[in-house]
Structures are given as C-alpha cells and as structure tokens.
Amino acid sequence: EDILSRCKSIDLSNDLFEELNLSSDENVLIWLDLVCDSMYPKLQIAKWLIERIERINASMEFTVEVEHLTWFLCEKLRQLKQLKYFDEYVKILSMKKLSSSRIPIVDLVSYSRRKEVNDILLQYIDDYDINGHVLYSLNRRHYEGVYLLADKFADDEREFVKKLVKRLKKQNK
C-alpha cells in the first residue's frame, strides 16, 4: 500500500503516531505532509496537529528525531495559519521542552492582529531557542522597542541574529 493511499484512508481521530510506528517509518513526514494537504478542513487539521504537539510535550522523550517531527508539526501549523487557535499556539510557545521546534509558532503568533501579541512575544526574548525569531517578529510587527532590544543581542554568536541586529541598527540611524 503506498503512502498516498494510506493518507486518504486515515481517520484524524485515530492516533497517527501509533499507526505510523514512529520509530521506524521513514515516510512519517511525507505522510503527515499529505494529510495536511489533504481534503480535510484546515481547522480540523490544525486542531489535530495541536493535540499531537501537546501529546509529544506531555509524554515523549525529546530526542533529535522527536524534535524534527515536532518542528515539522509546528511548521505545518504555521502554514495553515488558523488563528482561531491562537491561545493554543501561545500554550505551545510556553512548552520549553520543545526547544527550537517552537520557531514556526513564533511566526504564527506574530501574524495575529491581537493587541497582546507583542507582550506575549516579549515574554520569550530571553529564551535562547527562539529569541532571535522573537526579535525578528517584533521588528516585522513594528514594535517600537525593537531597537533597544537589538542591543541586548549585539554579542550573540548566531549568524542570523548578528545580521538582524546589524540591519536593525542600520534602520535606526
């Protein structure tokens, strides 16, 4: 049975991870990609992805493989852009165990037009795993204090953060 056939027959209420045999199925990400691009309503898929991320955070040992899977799930949420689940996305941001897998969620939260978004993002400015992306998102949202925050990252060793800080300093002149 090919991946596409398996994808079309999946019931989103089932536990996909058990069906996939997560530890051995090299096609997990392909299958999940097909599920996310399938005929299911985007809200239903987003809810299903959120539930899986919460389950991973609650129960799985966070290995490199699990981090890759979680990043993929978060990236799919970002692509779906279902802002109805904003509160759930904020909850995912608070799951430090998910490490840098939360990067797509920073971006997703920053799309919202809610007034509290900047305050939510600022809560993660000291979270090393995502703070460069927080700074980027605050800049994209035209947060007034972003230039002062950039100074905090002047000596950051990450190349993308260095470039962002340099660009912010240039913009502020």
Side-chain angles (χ1 to χ4, degrees):
E1 185 177 17
D2 70 349
I3 294 171
L4 186 56
S5 299
R6 290 169 68 193
C7 173
K8 287 178 179 175
S9 68
I10 190 167
D11 176 357
L12 288 180
S13 64
N14 290 340
D15 187 350
L16 180 62
F17 294 131
E18 287 179 20
E19 290 184 37
L20 288 173
N21 187 7
L22 181 60
S23 61
S24 64
D25 192 341
E26 295 227 347
N27 298 314
V28 170
L29 299 183
I30 296 169
W31 197 25
L32 285 172
D33 206 22
L34 290 168
V35 168
C36 291
D37 295 336
S38 70
M39 59 285 185
Y40 292 102
K42 288 183 177 183
L43 271 176
Q44 184 181 1
I45 293 169
K47 184 174 192 252
W48 183 84
L49 290 168
I50 291 165
E51 289 169 356
R52 293 314 166 279
I53 292 166
E54 289 172 342
R55 187 175 296 173
I56 288 170
N57 185 61
S59 65
M60 294 184 91
E61 181 182 331
F62 208 69
T63 63
V64 172
E65 293 81 15
V66 174
E67 183 174 6
H68 290 155
L69 174 64
T70 308
W71 186 92
F72 182 85
L73 297 174
C74 289
E75 175 59 19
K76 280 298 169 188
L77 279 175
R78 186 194 66 78
Q79 291 171 11
L80 290 170
K81 291 184 182 144
Q82 297 300 307
L83 294 175
K84 175 184 179 188
Y85 294 115
F86 180 84
D87 294 334
E88 286 83 354
Y89 304 145
V90 171
K91 182 179 173 189
I92 292 170
L93 277 181
S94 72
M95 298 175 183
K96 288 189 66 83
K97 176 180 174 182
L98 301 183
S99 185
S100 62
S101 299
R102 299 170 293 154
I103 290 170
I105 303 300
V106 170
D107 200 31
L108 179 56
V109 166
S110 74
Y111 292 141
S112 174
R113 296 179 191 260
R114 290 187 181 197
K115 289 186 282 185
E116 69 268 25
V117 170
N118 289 347
D119 291 335
I120 290 166
L121 291 174
L122 285 168
Q123 292 175 32
Y124 299 96
I125 202 66
D126 293 321
D127 186 330
Y128 183 82
D129 293 323
I130 60 174
N131 61 8
H133 297 275
V134 168
L135 187 64
Y136 176 83
S137 293
L138 288 167
N139 181 50
R140 193 179 69 225
R141 292 179 52 80
H142 306 291
Y143 173 67
E144 291 178 15
V146 74
Y147 303 113
L148 294 172
L149 287 173
D151 290 337
K152 181 177 184 166
F153 295 94
D155 297 324
D156 198 289
E157 73 272 1
R158 296 169 292 179
E159 194 59 36
F160 83 97
V161 175
K162 286 180 188 178
K163 288 179 181 178
L164 176 59
V165 168
K166 188 176 181 178
R167 192 174 75 215
L168 288 172
K169 287 183 179 189
K170 193 181 272 189
Q171 285 175 357
N172 194 28
K173 287 185 180 183

